[in-house]
Amino acid sequence: MELADFSAHQIARLVHRRELSAAEVTEAALQRIQAVDGRPGSLEPGAITTEDQGKVHAFITLTAERARRQAAAVDQKLAAGEDPGPLAGVPFTSKDIFCVEGTPSTAASRILANFMAPYTATPVARMEAAGAVLLGKVNLDEFAYGSSSESSAFQPAPRNPWDTSRVPGGSSGGSAASVAAGECALSLGTDTAGSVRQPAAFCGVVGVKPTYGRVSRYGLIAFGSSLDCPGPVARDVRDAALALNAISGADPHDSTAAAAPVPDFSAGLEESVRGLRVGLSPEYFRIIYINAASGEIDTQPISAEIESAVLQAANHLAGMGAEIVENVSMPHTRYGIPVYFVISRVEAASNLHRFDGVKYGYRTPDPVQDLSEMYRKSRGQAFGPQPKLRILMGMYVSAAQYSAQYYNRALKVRTLIRRDFDQAFDPQGALRLHALLTPTTPTTAFPIGDLYGDSVLMQYADQFTVPANHAGVPGISLPGGFDAQGLPIGIQLLGPDFSEARLLQLGRAYEIATHQAGWRQRKPAVLEGRLP
Amino acid sequence: MTDQITSELFQHLVLLGAMELEPGEAEYIRRQLNNQLKAINELAAIPLDDSTLPASHGVPFTPEITPPLRADEWRPEPDPQKILAQAPQLEDGYIIVPEIPHTDL
């Protein structure tokens, strides 16, 4: 195994023992980036070449010298007999939606292309304080608005390391792709409707959406402030637990960061799952969506391969003593996307008002008559179609004459979605579930260009992930095998508030049960030189 | 079916949103908004009683997990110049903007 493919827990252990230096690990990661990533995203990309089509393009900004300095500092601490932290020397990337002091922090938007963050986001600062080494900022959908990473203003957009003709998912596509391709061991993403879990599923890695409030949002360029959850992407559950330990906990800079106790997520990972109750819900085995042509509601079963992967996971957990509870009713699951179309747009429109060409970011170079024209030209020229869509929809559904019909109604339906989870997880209730086991996505990674432009169908890619964002509950996506086309399948575990330790424990049990499976040995196409 | 967001309403929203749109872009965005509204309109059929309160967030913020507010204390920004330097146009420490529209009284 090459050093770039070592797990975070292996690296941290070897660096602590001084059998490996942080500098060596960093160089191995930079070499892997050099080999597989291709050119970084830029505002003036020109034509996409044949060579581009075989690369990952996870990065917007590579911070190689900064990383080398951090790695040297880790090695110096060890040489001085000090402990650099539990993530000593572990290379990680950050979705470019987190501010990192002194780096361009773009949100993959032209409007922030020239913005240098004056401070560092709490989750990134905590990773660095734990000894992890930041390699750079990775690409995403513009302002995290999308499920494929194709809407980035910085092209070429990230590609799926398992098949570079396909999307890596989104919006944390650069995060999942960089971890899957061994460009880093860990990445920080954000999940507003599934933006950590969906790309993790598409790229065959682990993605955690913590409970809302478990991880501080300080320094995160906001999308939907009541939905956004920073979370880690990793290649296995043990690494995800290590990263979650590093970033969790209250933060005086964010009053919504919960003052809940943070357990050691690594401590109970391999405890028995005997007696844990895991539910299966029929509402997560079919997709219900609006047919744009007919305007009618269509219902389709998910693919047999994805259904089979979830049921096999249930069998594995049952084999380890978990109790599988079938036919759990989650009747409001289907409304997750319509509710999201309203709430996320209102919150996004509000958060985007600050980008006006006055204090920072892009200002039109065109001559203007007055301030209003400067606003209109700056925002018109520098926002892509996705932010524009969200601003306009957000304003429409929250306007005084429409808000009762749309926004207030959506907030009430959010209550019903939350109630589904409360009933499923109620320790005194009929079901008393510890977790719900579902597919992460209705499909595997789709071809680049297939859905982009259809903002409705694209949104339905998040149908099984978005209910957890409305409810605030935690979720984890785990690699669950491959489909017939060799594309990763993701399986998802959802649990009650602040039950991340239990979800990670169940995830680790599934990893142990499938450790010997042939599919666990597969490598992404970019690491085997396979071209699409 | 008639578009819910007509061209006239769309132009009004664009004005409120302070964005200048290219004609082709405007038509694409208006079409997408109307398609999204078809999905949103599914919410109208859900029976809601008075006991269903709106949820502005999912996780209840109980006293046990609500952090105390920070002390309301003035703290100096370590390097205001670093922040001001981000402004597109700066003069003597002031951020410069074009003429602000006004009506003479």
Side-chain angles (χ1 to χ4, degrees):
Chain A
M1 183 191 280
E2 292 180 35
L3 183 47
D5 298 311
F6 279 30
S7 65
H9 62 272
Q10 283 175 309
I11 291 168
R13 190 177 66 240
L14 293 169
V15 169
H16 272 118
R17 289 181 186 166
R18 301 187 67 192
E19 292 173 24
L20 200 58
S21 71
E24 284 175 275
V25 179
T26 301
E27 291 308 323
L30 292 171
Q31 282 171 20
R32 174 62 64 81
I33 293 165
Q34 174 75 23
V36 304
D37 207 61
R39 59 186 174 130
S42 88
L43 293 178
E44 308 295 341
I48 301 298
T49 66
T50 307
E51 187 186 350
D52 287 336
Q53 290 170 4
K55 299 293 187 185
V56 179
H57 306 290
F59 282 81
I60 291 179
T61 304
L62 185 66
T63 53
E65 290 314 310
R66 189 179 189 278
R68 289 186 173 111
R69 286 197 300 275
Q70 282 185 328
V74 168
D75 289 331
Q76 282 161 13
K77 276 191 177 175
L78 282 162
E82 298 170 31
D83 182 0
L87 293 174
V90 174
F92 80 107
T93 59
S94 164
K95 185 177 184 178
D96 203 15
I97 197 98
F98 291 100
C99 288
V100 176
E101 186 175 0
T103 70
S105 297
T106 70
S109 179
R110 184 179 290 273
I111 211 159
L112 282 176
N114 61 0
F115 175 63
M116 298 290 281
Y119 65 101
T120 299
T122 296
V124 177
R126 287 182 176 173
M127 289 287 286
E128 293 185 329
V133 172
L134 179 69
L135 299 173
K137 313 289 288 294
V138 286
N139 215 333
L140 61 147
D141 281 292
E142 185 176 359
F143 280 105
Y145 302 158
S147 308
S148 69
S149 301
E150 291 165 285
S151 68
S152 173
F154 291 76
Q155 297 287 327
R159 289 168 177 258
N160 193 313
W162 295 91
D163 176 347
T164 54
S165 72
R166 292 177 183 262
V167 302
S171 62
S172 308
S175 289
S178 61
V179 172
E183 298 175 84
C184 55
L186 296 170
S187 187
L188 288 180
T190 55
D191 193 310
T192 307
S195 282
V196 165
R197 290 162 289 158
Q198 186 255 23
F202 278 12
C203 291
V205 292
V206 174
V208 180
K209 175 230 173 278
T211 309
Y212 181 84
R214 174 65 96 185
V215 179
S216 168
R217 293 180 294 116
Y218 179 70
L220 169 65
I221 299 169
F223 167 6
S225 301
S226 78
L227 301 159
D228 293 338
C229 293
V233 179
R235 282 194 291 275
D236 65 35
V237 170
R238 283 181 286 181
D239 285 5
L242 270 179
L244 192 59
N245 271 332
I247 63 177
S248 294
D251 176 10
H253 293 299
D254 177 3
S255 64
T256 64
V262 180
D264 180 347
F265 296 113
S266 299
L269 276 183
E270 297 191 1
E271 285 178 8
S272 169
V273 297
R274 183 164 300 283
L276 295 184
R277 292 170 62 81
V278 177
L280 294 169
S281 169
E283 280 82 9
Y284 281 85
F285 288 89
R286 57 179 181 247
I287 46 172
I288 300 173
Y289 63 100
I290 287 280
N291 184 320
S294 66
E296 300 295 319
I297 307 273
D298 270 357
T299 302
Q300 300 274 344
I302 61 165
S303 87
E305 290 167 308
I306 294 178
E307 179 172 347
S308 166
V310 177
L311 297 179
Q312 281 180 34
N315 282 338
H316 283 301
L317 292 173
M320 299 175 94
E323 292 177 39
I324 305 300
V325 181
E326 295 188 68
N327 291 316
V328 174
S329 176
M330 302 290 287
H332 299 95
T333 303
R334 62 179 288 190
Y335 302 119
I337 294 296
V339 167
Y340 184 75
F341 266 132
V342 176
I343 294 175
S344 74
R345 272 53 175 176
V346 172
E347 296 185 4
S350 170
N351 282 320
L352 288 172
H353 278 305
R354 70 192 66 171
F355 303 109
D356 56 8
V358 172
K359 301 174 289 298
Y360 50 84
Y362 178 90
R363 179 187 285 192
T364 180
D366 296 350
V368 294
Q369 296 291 320
D370 59 25
L371 184 66
S372 300
E373 191 182 5
M374 191 278 283
Y375 288 158
R376 290 197 301 275
K377 281 188 181 291
S378 298
R379 288 160 64 86
Q381 291 165 6
F383 280 139
Q386 296 308 317
K388 287 170 180 166
L389 263 165
R390 278 157 177 80
I391 290 167
L392 297 171
M393 181 62 89
M395 289 179 19
Y396 178 69
V397 296
S398 61
Q401 61 271 49
Y402 303 116
S403 65
Q405 180 184 351
Y406 294 121
Y407 185 52
N408 292 352
R409 175 163 278 268
L411 292 176
K412 289 182 177 182
V413 180
R414 185 178 191 176
T415 296
L416 300 180
I417 293 171
R418 168 79 193 188
R419 200 174 287 165
D420 284 353
F421 286 103
D422 283 342
Q423 287 171 355
F425 298 141
D426 181 355
Q428 271 78 50
L431 295 164
R432 303 180 309 284
L433 298 182
H434 295 96
L436 200 62
L437 173 64
T438 80
T440 309
T441 55
T443 68
T444 52
F446 41 85
I448 291 169
D450 256 25
L451 293 189
Y452 188 59
D454 186 333
S455 64
V456 177
L457 263 188
M458 183 71 84
Q459 196 69 77
Y460 277 90
D462 297 330
Q463 185 157 150
F464 300 149
T465 47
V466 74
N469 298 82
H470 292 310
V473 299
I476 179 170
S477 180
L478 304 158
F482 291 83
D483 70 5
Q485 298 176 87
L487 298 167
I489 292 171
I491 60 171
Q492 176 177 237
L493 288 159
L494 303 172
D497 297 342
F498 302 107
S499 68
E500 292 88 350
R502 181 62 52 73
L503 298 183
L504 290 161
Q505 178 194 353
L506 283 161
R508 179 68 187 138
Y510 173 69
E511 271 184 355
I512 291 169
T514 55
H515 180 64
Q516 299 294 335
W519 61 266
R520 289 272 183 202
Q521 313 310 319
R522 294 196 197 182
K523 296 278 175 229
V526 291
L527 300 184
E528 295 188 331
R530 281 185 280 124
L531 294 173
Chain B
M1 188 176 154
T2 317
D3 286 342
Q4 275 184 257
I5 298 185
T6 61
S7 293
E8 293 71 30
L9 177 55
F10 183 76
Q11 288 308 321
H12 180 62
L13 290 171
V14 169
L15 187 71
L16 292 176
M19 290 182 294
E20 204 170 82
L21 302 183
E22 299 292 329
E25 181 186 32
E27 193 43 42
Y28 164 75
I29 290 175
R30 191 172 76 86
R31 193 167 61 246
Q32 291 296 316
L33 290 175
N34 281 308
N35 286 344
Q36 291 181 9
L37 279 169
K38 288 177 191 163
I40 291 170
N41 286 337
E42 207 193 336
L43 300 178
I46 303 171
L48 293 171
D49 57 35
D50 291 342
S51 69
T52 306
L53 299 175
S56 57
H57 50 81
V59 179
F61 273 81
T62 58
E64 293 76 38
I65 66 162
T66 302
L69 291 175
R70 283 202 309 264
D72 184 12
E73 289 168 352
W74 176 83
R75 286 174 302 163
E77 169 61 34
D79 187 0
Q81 287 309 316
K82 198 162 67 177
I83 294 171
L84 283 171
Q86 302 279 336
Q89 197 180 348
L90 196 69
E91 202 174 293
D92 299 333
Y94 289 92
I95 292 172
I96 305 298
V97 294
E99 181 73 12
I100 297 171
H102 65 280
T103 307
D104 289 328
L105 295 175

